[in-house]
Amino acid sequence: DANDRSTLFWSTYALDKEGKLHVGKSNLKTGKVIQDVAFLPDERAPMKAGPAYCASGQSKSAFLPVFMGSEGYIDVWDKKTLVRRHRVFVSDLGYKAGTYQFVHGSNSHDMKRFLVTLTLKGEDGKMTGKQDLVLLDLPALEQGKLKELKRTTLSGEPGKTIAFRPYFTADDKLIFQSSADRMWGLDAATLQLVDEKMTQS
């Protein structure tokens, strides 16, 4: 939590024995769970096991876990009460279920922007190596609205280049995008590619 470093907000990747997902917060000093909210998967995103939530972001008042399955979405949970205020689907950004494999996201440190990344799939259902990065207005997202600021597509190798969580640098000038077989560096204002480094297998 940016407001209190002793508090950790979390969300689950897989279903529990009762077929439910969880969002909660824990005290990092004691290791104790402060609150745990269990709920059934969304009817638009049915699942038998995983994957579910993976990456996440935050604002001063909200925790924003990203559901990486299909259909992908971003939840907006009130930090104080752990009541879910909104759920916004990436389909509202023009991505139909089945056209992408994973969804991730993270906020800028100034909490003005939220970057969403998607690994794209072809008509054959296989990952194409392309990733879409969509920069959103974070205050609007807190209100359940998708206000797009920038969008770009980056190309890698089919089946090997897979989007994972992005990170903003401390000054919010650059974004590092983890992509399995490579790391991309982007200008955080324009989403222009400024560097690419291949990872070692």
Side-chain angles (χ1 to χ4, degrees):
D1 183 4
N3 305 311
D4 178 7
R5 294 297 183 177
S6 65
T7 300
L8 172 72
F9 287 90
W10 48 266
S11 51
T12 52
Y13 177 86
L15 299 175
D16 65 15
K17 294 180 180 179
E18 297 179 353
K20 293 183 178 181
L21 293 166
H22 293 253
V23 165
K25 54 184 175 180
S26 298
N27 186 308
L28 288 174
K29 293 180 178 179
T30 64
K32 292 183 178 180
V33 175
I34 302 169
Q35 196 170 355
D36 183 344
V37 180
F39 51 95
L40 293 171
D42 196 289
E43 292 182 357
R44 290 177 59 176
M47 53 183 296
K48 295 181 179 179
Y53 296 107
C54 189
S56 63
Q58 64 176 306
S59 67
K60 289 185 177 180
S61 62
F63 171 54
L64 299 98
V66 181
F67 185 86
M68 66 183 296
S70 183
E71 296 184 32
Y73 57 77
I74 305 164
D75 274 345
V76 181
W77 293 81
D78 184 273
K79 282 184 175 180
K80 290 183 178 179
T81 63
L82 272 192
V83 170
R84 190 179 69 232
R85 300 299 186 189
H86 305 284
R87 174 167 288 167
V88 292
F89 285 83
V90 297
S91 58
D92 292 331
L93 290 170
Y95 297 97
K96 295 181 180 179
T99 63
Y100 54 88
Q101 184 74 26
F102 302 118
V103 185
H104 290 83
S106 188
N107 61 278
S108 58
H109 293 278
D110 62 9
M111 297 185 182
K112 294 181 179 180
R113 293 163 291 170
F114 192 93
L115 182 67
V116 178
T117 64
L118 303 97
T119 299
L120 304 182
K121 294 168 65 176
E123 293 183 1
D124 59 0
K126 296 181 180 179
M127 292 181 287
T128 63
K130 293 183 178 181
Q131 295 180 25
D132 270 12
L133 287 76
V134 185
L135 198 60
L136 302 175
D137 180 85
L138 182 50
L141 183 58
E142 282 187 272
Q143 302 302 315
K145 300 175 182 178
L146 293 173
K147 180 180 178 182
E148 183 175 329
L149 303 175
K150 295 285 182 181
R151 184 184 302 215
T152 194
T153 302
L154 300 177
S155 297
E157 188 172 346
K160 292 186 177 181
T161 306
I162 304 168
F164 291 99
R165 184 171 180 158
Y167 292 90
F168 285 80
T169 54
D171 59 8
D172 285 330
K173 291 183 177 180
L174 295 173
I175 295 169
F176 295 129
Q177 175 61 53
S178 174
S179 306
D181 68 335
R182 68 197 68 206
M183 178 73 74
W184 281 315
L186 301 101
D187 183 291
T190 65
L191 295 187
Q192 292 295 310
L193 184 66
V194 296
D195 199 6
E196 178 182 60
K197 294 287 189 253
M198 304 302 295
T199 59
Q200 296 181 352
S201 57

